[in-house]
Amino acid sequence: MTGVTTAVCPGSFDPITLGHLDVVRRARALVDHVVVGVARNAGKTALLPADARVDLARRALDDAGLADVRVAVVPGLLVDYCAEIGATAVVKGLRGGADFDAELPMALMNRHLAGVETVFVVGDAALAHIASSLVKDIARHGGPVDDLVPPGVGDAVRRAFAEAREGDRR
Ligand code: PNS
């Protein structure tokens, strides 16, 4: 990847999982600077506010020995953020074919919009069953998620569901 010095690992990170950490670690091995970009997916309603997602990612990266990876909110278009920070590539993880099908249009669109290339890394097969959406679905029903996410994340998700339920009762 000659010439690539900064790459963004974008995502909703709602919440960050062990799968995300694995992908960030692999990205970090490829490029000089990695920025975890906490972005808005127009097709999803987030459980956690952006600042909470950033805080959880920050703590998880520090705990995982990835303190040199920056975490930031992507306020608008991903390609605009890449231009702003001088990132020339996006790194995304693939768990399987469904991920590729979802990622390909975005990769092509980001290249169309601004020439930003996407590099796909294959995540650890042992983590391929982990998805933020499943973590939330399990936690919503009181199931165990702590072995799917970095320390502290399960508590944050459970708290968010408890607060949402409390809000519904008012
Ligand atoms: O974790 P996700 O939800 O699969 O990540 C998707 C995400 C947030 C990276 C994507 O929706 C995104 O890039 N959002 C920022 C706004 C943007 O640039 N939209 C156009 C994408 S082609």
Side-chain angles (χ1 to χ4, degrees):
M1 298 233 301
T2 312
V4 173
T5 57
T6 301
V8 177
C9 285
S12 308
F13 300 101
D14 186 43
I16 191 164
T17 68
L18 296 184
H20 289 129
L21 273 186
D22 174 54
V23 170
V24 172
R25 195 176 286 110
R26 291 174 197 284
R28 182 65 194 84
L30 291 175
V31 302
D32 298 324
H33 303 289
V34 173
V35 180
V36 165
V38 176
R40 178 164 186 272
N41 183 330
K44 300 177 183 170
T45 303
L47 170 69
L48 301 165
D51 58 344
R53 287 180 272 152
V54 167
D55 288 349
L56 290 172
R58 177 72 274 151
R59 208 175 323 149
L61 291 163
D62 289 347
D63 290 350
L66 293 163
D68 65 341
V69 171
R70 275 170 52 201
V71 184
V73 170
V74 175
L77 278 183
L78 178 59
V79 291
D80 290 344
Y81 182 70
C82 287
E84 189 188 314
I85 66 166
T88 48
V90 162
V91 178
K92 273 275 194 164
L94 295 180
R95 288 163 295 196
D99 278 352
F100 183 72
D101 289 345
E103 295 297 338
L104 181 61
M106 289 194 276
L108 290 170
M109 186 57 78
N110 287 331
R111 181 195 277 156
H112 166 83
L113 289 171
V116 171
E117 296 289 355
T118 299
V119 177
F120 292 115
V121 298
V122 175
D124 184 343
L127 304 173
H129 58 297
I130 303 178
S132 298
S133 54
L134 291 178
V135 166
K136 286 180 285 190
D137 195 27
I138 295 163
R140 182 198 305 272
H141 297 290
V145 296
D146 288 336
D147 57 350
L148 307 173
V149 291
V153 171
D155 285 340
V157 170
R158 285 185 284 271
R159 222 169 20 244
F161 278 124
E163 281 166 15
R165 276 191 293 270
E166 189 65 27
D168 284 348
R169 270 201 293 271
R170 279 196 211 111

